[in-house]
Amino acid sequence: MQSFDFVIRNGTLVTATDTTHADVAIAGGRIAAIGRDLAPGTRDIDAAGKFVMPGGIDAHAHIEQLSASGLINSDTFETATKSAALGGTTTVLCFAAQHVGMSLTKVVEDYHALARRGAIVDYGFHMILADPREEVLRDELPPLIKAGHASLKVFMTYDRLRVDDMQLLDVLMAARENKALVLVHAENHGMITWLSKRLLAKGYTAPRYHAVSHPRLGEVEAFTRLIAFAEFIDQPIMIYHVSSAEGVGVIRAARGRGLKVFAETCPQYLFLTKHDLDKPGIDGAKWMCSPPVRETSDQEALWQALCLGDLQLISSDHAPYAFNEKGKLMAGPSANFKQIPNGMPGLQARLPLLFDAMVSKGRFGAQKFVEWTSTAPAEIYGLAPRKGSIAVGSDADIAIWDPDKRVTFADADVVDGAGYTPYAGRTVRGWPITVLRRGEIIAENGRCVAAPGSGEFVARDGGPAAEPLGRLAPEFDTERNFGAQLY
Ligand code: DUC
Ligand code: ZN
Ligand code: ZN
């Protein structure tokens, strides 16, 4: 008879497609059996009255990263992934961020070294390209993608990081040639810069004006241009952190035409509004991210877009900056909104906020919760079938949720480097009480019990998501372009 390391008994097992009462047996870090009356394991966990769900996959987290502000985020792989584990997340996809002039190969090596030392959950890297020089795309990119980093991120705004139209086309083409997904921060840089200048000149400097300085039409323009480029090159894309109803409209139209446009939103756009930035003095800086949080009507449009499949997943965009001179207040306590780094922590709060809204309060339910926070990111980013579900043969990445446990978010409980939570004072019902990563308990009853560095790199290929549609723009079609071979 097969022997098991763990058997999780009597729980309600939830995947993206099913909800059943079944036991789950784990051997050698993988799911070994699912059924009733399984043989005892070395250790049995009684999950009666609890939900047994796949560990969360957070596909958008800035960890110990050199960011657009020129600062490193206020955490380390250890603190960030500890917060992830405590919040029920067992895999993160973060960034290896190339800035102008850097070798991409060296950048990727450096981030690997940081993660090897500190990571508690499993991880992979998207490669940020701020300087897609010819030799980077030709010589460095192909082996890095082959080594398991099959996603490229570009910014259409931020002075330090943004690519222009030609560079964006080059990156899309390089991704197509090497079968990688392209992930994009898409906002119109000119509109943001122009509007910010006018606001500041008129003395509107407080954090709340950050919400005004990123017009929703900036999302519309950038999404539209990006999608046209992606269609032209026939390259699948992922649009990051969709924040507005209008942005959703552009994506819906593109998907309606059959284009391979994936898109995510984040808890901050579902649970916060611009009024959260409207605090005395500079306090609103804690709620500053880009794009900014918007209106209640946008929240509703985003939920509907998730439900309709226009958006496929919810990531945190974890990007913490401490509320001190090493973070949000790097330019001092009287800084204007342009001098404040953008971003907020989210690795720990993402799943409890969504569990509360979707499972405890019943909106869309437990299976959609699993789909949008684990299964869809696994499938889109090439982590499936190893991650993202509870199935025989998959990694035993499991979060056991107590649906009755109430927790009120408080700054005192924050373990990432931000030192504050944007959700302080908010009470959620439902909390991950036991979290297993590859069959090892990493968090239990609010304590992280795994060693820093025990997380493993997960190599990913582009998979079906990165496969081009095969629809050639007329200019790329040799039968219609006088025979020019452009691919
Ligand atoms: N915006 C970004 O583009 N990245 C990190 C955080 C943020 O707010
Ligand atoms: Zn971004
Ligand atoms: Zn981001």
Side-chain angles (χ1 to χ4, degrees):
M1 192 172 34
Q2 191 181 6
S3 63
F4 302 130
D5 303 325
F6 271 109
V7 179
I8 303 170
R9 293 189 188 279
N10 309 317
T12 302
L13 175 61
V14 186
T15 67
T17 50
D18 294 293
T19 302
T20 49
H21 287 279
D23 304 335
V24 180
I26 298 167
R30 301 206 170 185
I31 311 284
I34 297 170
R36 296 279 175 96
D37 303 318
L38 298 176
T42 307
R43 181 174 164 188
D44 279 15
I45 298 175
D46 182 15
K50 311 286 189 291
F51 285 99
V52 178
M53 294 174 151
I57 297 176
D58 196 334
H60 183 168
H62 302 266
I63 300 179
E64 214 170 341
Q65 183 210 305
L66 181 59
S67 69
S69 65
L71 287 184
I72 309 270
N73 301 120
S74 299
D75 56 10
T76 60
F77 270 88
E78 183 178 340
T79 56
T81 57
K82 183 175 174 186
S83 78
L86 289 171
T89 287
T90 49
T91 304
V92 294
L93 297 180
C94 45
F95 299 94
Q98 181 213 33
H99 283 233
V100 174
M102 291 180 179
S103 148
L104 188 61
T105 311
K106 171 83 168 61
V107 164
V108 173
E109 281 168 9
D110 289 349
Y111 281 94
H112 268 283
L114 294 171
R116 262 198 305 276
R117 204 163 52 218
I120 283 164
V121 303
D122 288 350
Y123 57 90
F125 290 105
H126 310 299
M127 299 187 289
I128 291 179
L129 288 168
D131 189 5
R133 314 182 291 276
E134 196 183 334
E135 68 271 21
V136 170
L137 299 183
R138 187 192 57 225
D139 303 332
E140 296 195 83
L141 200 62
L144 289 166
I145 291 174
K146 277 208 184 68
H149 317 93
S151 40
L152 314 177
K153 157 109 186 261
V154 287
F155 289 84
M156 294 171 77
T157 184
Y158 288 128
D159 290 324
R160 271 194 175 79
L161 294 174
R162 76 194 175 97
V163 294
D164 63 23
D165 286 359
M166 290 275 282
Q167 291 172 314
L168 180 51
L169 289 164
D170 282 344
V171 170
L172 290 165
M173 189 68 159
R176 190 183 201 279
E177 285 166 353
N178 293 284
K179 226 177 122 217
L181 194 61
V182 176
L183 333 172
V184 187
H185 178 130
E187 289 185 279
N188 179 287
H189 186 68
M191 287 161 94
I192 296 167
T193 310
W194 185 86
L195 198 44
S196 300
K197 225 172 117 186
R198 290 176 81 82
L199 285 163
L200 294 179
K202 289 177 184 292
Y204 300 113
T205 59
R208 62 178 168 276
Y209 299 109
H210 170 72
V212 182
S213 72
H214 286 241
R216 48 188 62 239
L217 279 171
E219 215 167 56
V220 170
E221 190 284 328
F223 289 9
T224 306
R225 181 160 39 107
L226 167 65
I227 289 167
F229 285 16
E231 181 174 7
F232 176 52
I233 302 287
D234 187 20
Q235 166 59 36
I237 51 169
M238 162 69 69
I239 301 185
Y240 263 174
H241 44 49
V242 178
S243 70
S244 68
E246 291 84 346
V248 164
V250 176
I251 293 165
R252 183 168 299 150
R255 290 178 62 84
R257 291 195 294 116
L259 296 179
K260 263 178 119 170
V261 174
F262 301 98
E264 61 159 35
T265 190
C266 314
Q268 50 272 37
Y269 305 111
L270 297 169
F271 297 112
L272 300 173
T273 69
K274 65 179 187 183
H275 298 292
D276 288 292
L277 281 84
D278 192 7
K279 299 279 191 310
I282 201 162
D283 283 6
K286 291 180 182 171
W287 288 268
M288 274 179 60
C289 58
S290 287
V293 295
R294 300 194 190 269
E295 315 267 351
T296 315
S297 53
D298 293 295
Q299 295 179 345
E300 195 47 39
L302 294 169
W303 282 115
Q304 281 176 19
L306 283 159
C307 179
L308 291 170
D310 302 316
L311 309 178
Q312 298 79 46
L313 60 135
I314 307 172
S315 313
S316 70
D317 197 7
H318 175 83
Y321 296 95
F323 194 65
N324 62 28
E325 70 292 347
K326 293 196 181 123
K328 289 283 183 186
L329 308 184
M330 64 185 274
S334 316
N336 69 53
F337 68 83
K338 281 307 268 185
Q339 298 169 311
I340 297 170
N342 292 185
M344 59 175 81
L347 272 168
Q348 184 170 8
R350 179 183 71 125
L351 292 180
L353 285 165
L354 291 165
F355 187 100
D356 176 63
M358 298 181 66
V359 185
S360 304
K361 297 200 172 91
R363 191 163 192 195
F364 305 120
Q367 288 174 204
K368 283 289 176 197
F369 167 80
V370 169
E371 180 185 329
W372 296 343
T373 61
S374 183
T375 310
E379 286 174 354
I380 291 171
Y381 287 108
L383 292 161
R386 189 175 156 189
K387 308 278 189 194
S389 193
I390 297 181
V392 172
S394 297
D395 281 0
D397 295 340
I398 294 174
I400 302 176
W401 288 78
D402 179 346
D404 297 318
K405 188 173 163 75
R406 288 174 194 272
V407 173
T408 302
F409 290 106
D411 290 353
D413 299 328
V414 165
V415 300
D416 64 49
Y420 74 90
T421 166
Y423 305 100
R426 195 179 290 236
T427 300
V428 291
R429 187 155 68 89
W431 199 261
I433 48 166
T434 306
V435 181
L436 296 97
R437 179 221 55 209
R438 283 179 281 105
E440 183 191 342
I441 294 180
I442 58 170
E444 200 161 27
N445 297 321
R447 282 187 47 244
C448 178
V449 293
S454 57
E456 284 180 2
F457 171 64
V458 190
R460 301 169 296 113
D461 62 25
E467 206 67 75
L469 281 170
R471 285 194 205 166
L472 296 184
E475 296 76 12
F476 280 91
D477 183 345
T478 49
E479 289 185 8
R480 294 198 273 173
N481 69 1
F482 311 106
Q485 298 279 352
L486 298 172
Y487 276 132

